[in-house]
Amino acid sequence: MESASLDFLKDLLATPSPSGYERPIQDVVRNYVRDFADEVRTDLHGNVIAVKNPSAKLRVMFAGHCDQIGMLVTHIHDQGFIYAQTIGGWDPQQLIGQRMVIWASGGPIPAVISRKPIHLLTDEERKQVVKLDDLWLDIGAKNKAEAAELVRIGDPVTLQLQYQEMRNGLASSPAMDNKCGLWVVIEALRRASKANLKCGVYAVSTVAEEIGLRGAKTSAYGIDPQVGIAVDVTHATDCPTIDKRQNGEIALGNGPVVFRGPNMNPMVTDRLLETARKKEIACQVAAAGRAVSNDANVLQTNRAGVATGLVSVPNRYMHSAVEMISLQDIDRSADLLAEFVMGLSGEEDFRP
Ligand SMILES: [Zn+2]
């Protein structure tokens, strides 16, 4: 991976983007794609669309959601403690004892989120899983007045953003879901932009996926692509306690995961797998028997239908502070998408 590309990934991971509050990360995206996209636009919903070859008849859309799960300030307690709702699907157990950041209008405010210590939990409380209501944010304020001067109701909150490289080319950070998928679609556009493309490529940094796939829906309507490929994370099953019988055999470092199933167009899926074989890009195959819970879901039913593919990045510990991926997997995923569009003649018919 080129160092500028790795820096771009680190910039994405260091920039907050809870659903509905994606502007800072979209600024990072807009700034980066300027050098190689023919056209960069932002729609009214906040999706950023970077286009190569906009006049082509065949339009291929790549969707990588830029939003991350987070929290939203709902109440400031008399003593200055701060309560928040969740944005997106949290396991509250994952929040206990985390360092957090409140992204207030005056600048980021460090916070911690926790509950009373084990010594003080009743026997009954020790047996129960923690509920969100039992957790509060603490910024060290003396009282409500001090906290309220800094923090407003509706300010977004994230985990403290930090990137850590691990052994064997693995890396850990909050919100690998889906900043690594966003990285893949933008990097694929950059790699493909050097070729003589026969199709239009629309790499979209979609918003609000974590609260119902909303940005993919609006951006796909606007672009009206014939082919759409979503890139998101999927569960790696190469760690203890995950059942491979239903979730498949997916390992970090074994390459992008190409999904098969009714949410995917079989010709797009076959072409992705054929591209991987021809270009010697290691990849894995997974199956999903229902409408998937990511942008591929709404891509497929856009307007009169879109030939949809789903390429996923294996991820351990999804929706936690320590989401882990393989850098080689995202590099290969970008290659796979770039080779896919570079191999199109522009005359393909994906009607199954
Ligand atoms: Zn996601």
Side-chain angles (χ1 to χ4, degrees):
M1 191 185 294
E2 289 172 37
S3 73
S5 301
L6 182 60
D7 287 346
F8 175 53
L9 175 68
K10 291 180 189 170
D11 285 348
L12 295 176
L13 291 166
T15 308
S17 62
S19 314
Y21 297 80
E22 298 98 341
R23 195 174 181 166
I25 202 166
Q26 296 296 47
D27 284 338
V28 174
V29 174
R30 278 185 285 257
N31 189 42
Y32 185 74
V33 296
R34 250 196 333 232
D35 290 346
F36 51 87
D38 294 333
E39 199 182 295
V40 183
R41 57 178 195 259
T42 304
D43 66 20
L44 202 49
H45 194 187
N47 300 295
V48 172
I49 302 159
V51 193
K52 200 70 206 171
N53 213 10
S55 55
K57 193 171 71 188
L58 178 63
R59 291 176 298 281
V60 180
M61 171 174 164
F62 295 155
H65 76 84
C66 70
D67 61 312
Q68 66 181 102
I69 58 171
M71 301 186 86
L72 191 64
V73 172
T74 51
H75 176 68
I76 303 173
H77 186 263
D78 288 342
Q79 289 167 278
F81 299 113
I82 293 162
Y83 285 84
Q85 282 178 11
T86 47
I87 298 175
W90 274 102
D91 170 2
Q93 317 302 309
Q94 297 278 5
L95 282 165
I96 306 170
Q98 294 293 345
R99 294 176 197 280
M100 309 292 284
V101 179
I102 301 174
W103 300 93
S105 24
I109 301 170
V112 297
I113 187 166
S114 201
R115 62 166 176 173
K116 64 182 175 182
I118 184 159
H119 322 70
L120 308 180
L121 293 175
T122 62
D123 286 347
E124 206 40 51
E125 285 170 330
R126 285 185 194 199
K127 281 185 226 140
Q128 291 162 356
V129 292
V130 73
K131 294 192 299 291
L132 188 69
D133 310 357
D134 303 327
L135 301 174
W136 60 86
L137 290 150
D138 188 342
I139 62 168
K142 282 197 192 73
N143 50 40
K144 182 171 185 169
E146 186 188 346
E149 226 166 81
L150 298 163
V151 177
R152 286 163 64 208
I153 304 303
D155 279 347
V157 184
T158 66
L159 290 157
Q160 181 173 289
L161 304 175
Q162 48 188 340
Y163 172 83
Q164 172 81 66
E165 287 187 5
M166 320 292 288
R167 298 179 63 79
N168 297 306
L170 305 186
S172 169
S173 167
M176 282 298 187
D177 175 7
N178 182 40
K179 293 175 187 183
C180 71
L182 168 59
W183 181 92
V184 168
V185 304
I186 300 297
E187 182 66 10
L189 182 76
R190 190 184 72 81
R191 293 180 190 185
S193 70
K194 296 168 183 159
N196 179 21
L197 290 168
K198 301 290 190 297
C199 61
V201 183
Y202 297 70
V204 186
S205 175
T206 63
V207 296
E209 189 267 359
E210 298 287 358
I211 59 161
L213 322 175
R214 296 164 69 86
K217 192 174 178 186
T218 52
S219 57
Y221 190 93
I223 294 165
D224 189 16
Q226 293 93 337
V227 180
I229 299 176
V231 182
D232 208 329
V233 291
T234 190
H235 301 291
T237 62
D238 59 350
C239 62
T241 71
I242 299 182
D243 190 350
K244 294 184 174 66
R245 290 176 299 181
Q246 285 298 317
N247 299 300
E249 188 140 12
I250 304 298
L252 297 190
N254 284 3
V257 180
V258 176
F259 268 86
R260 301 184 67 208
N263 197 155
M264 276 59 74
N265 174 290
M267 293 153 88
V268 171
T269 303
D270 287 350
R271 200 176 174 104
L272 282 166
L273 293 170
E274 184 61 15
T275 303
R277 194 187 59 77
K278 273 198 213 140
K279 301 294 172 182
E280 298 182 332
I281 301 166
C283 76
Q284 313 179 66
V285 181
R290 60 177 88 84
V292 295
S293 57
N294 59 45
D295 283 346
N297 180 324
V298 295
L299 280 181
Q300 190 182 35
T301 54
N302 180 56
R303 292 182 182 246
V306 172
T308 298
L310 173 59
V311 172
S312 294
V313 178
N315 183 3
R316 280 185 202 149
Y317 322 120
M318 202 184 294
H319 287 200
S320 80
V322 293
E323 298 187 23
M324 195 181 293
I325 58 118
S326 151
L327 294 173
Q328 195 183 28
D329 286 344
I330 61 170
D331 195 37
R332 287 165 168 165
S333 303
D335 272 344
L336 178 58
L337 262 65
E339 293 291 352
F340 178 88
V341 289
M342 282 152 59
L344 292 172
S345 69
E347 302 300 325
E348 286 79 5
D349 181 350
F350 287 97
R351 279 175 291 189

